[in-house]
């Protein structure tokens, strides 16, 4: 990922004043880790450190990211759990686990995006 995408990230510490708030300039890259050199992010407000993938289905996944993505793409395309497991070459329990993680992430994203949408886009409150 390019380094100029930090505005997309927010602090993952629920006790932080900047928790869940993006583009505040409080997130820095302080290190890289693992074989894939994932970024370790740092919040200037609360000093918390966390993986750039915390809160996503990629976090702590032992599968390569392209396999995780392939599982989620098959599910999104309507394949069942067993079919996805066969086609991608992973265990069906892995498919189920990733589906639950992706569902939670999608729900959080939905709540965040919908919270800022006006109830009536043509109404007086925008
Ligand atoms: Zn923080």
């Amino acid at each position: 990922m390019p380094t100029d995408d930090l505005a997309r990230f927010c602090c993952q510490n629920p006790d932080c004043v900047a928790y869940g708030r993006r583009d505040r300039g409080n997130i820095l890259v302080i290190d890289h880790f693992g074989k894939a050199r994932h970024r370790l992010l740092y919040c200037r407000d609360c000093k918390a450190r966390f993986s750039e993938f915390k809160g996503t289905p990629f976090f702590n996944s032992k599968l390569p990211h392209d396999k995780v993505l392939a599982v989620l793409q098959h599910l999104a395309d309507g394949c069942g759990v067993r079919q996805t497991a066969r086609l991608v070459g992973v265990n069906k329990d892995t498919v189920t686990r990733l589906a639950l993680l992706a569902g939670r992430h999608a729900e959080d994203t939905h709540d965040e995006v919908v919270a800022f949408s006006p109830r009536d886009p043509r109404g007086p409150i925008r």
Side-chain angles (χ1 to χ4, degrees):
M1 266 189 220
T3 53
D4 56 24
D5 70 337
L6 290 174
R8 297 188 307 114
F9 291 90
C10 59
C11 183
Q12 298 287 316
N13 172 12
D15 297 326
C16 178
V17 292
Y19 176 64
R21 297 170 64 193
R22 297 177 206 286
D23 202 11
R24 296 180 76 247
N26 60 318
I27 302 296
L28 301 172
V29 177
I30 58 163
D31 207 351
H32 293 80
F33 62 95
K35 280 186 216 155
R37 309 302 296 149
H38 295 158
R39 295 182 300 179
L40 183 67
L41 304 181
Y42 173 79
C43 172
R44 277 194 240 211
D45 289 324
C46 70
K47 321 280 187 240
R49 298 158 186 229
F50 47 89
S51 160
E52 64 181 315
F53 295 109
K54 187 167 170 51
T56 76
F58 298 108
F59 183 60
N60 274 351
S61 177
K62 288 175 186 140
L63 282 182
H65 286 194
D66 57 341
K67 275 224 169 181
V68 173
L69 210 52
V71 166
L72 299 176
Q73 286 169 332
H74 279 79
L75 290 174
D77 208 43
C79 294
V81 170
R82 287 170 195 275
Q83 187 182 16
T84 298
R86 275 194 310 274
L87 290 169
V88 180
V90 298
N91 189 291
K92 66 179 171 48
D93 295 339
T94 303
V95 176
T96 304
R97 184 178 56 79
L98 289 173
L100 290 171
L101 289 171
R104 265 183 232 129
H105 190 221
E107 189 176 12
D108 291 346
T109 303
H110 171 271
D111 290 349
E112 181 183 339
V113 173
V114 172
F116 293 108
S117 300
R119 192 171 289 168
D120 175 5
R122 294 185 182 180
I125 301 168
R126 289 183 192 177

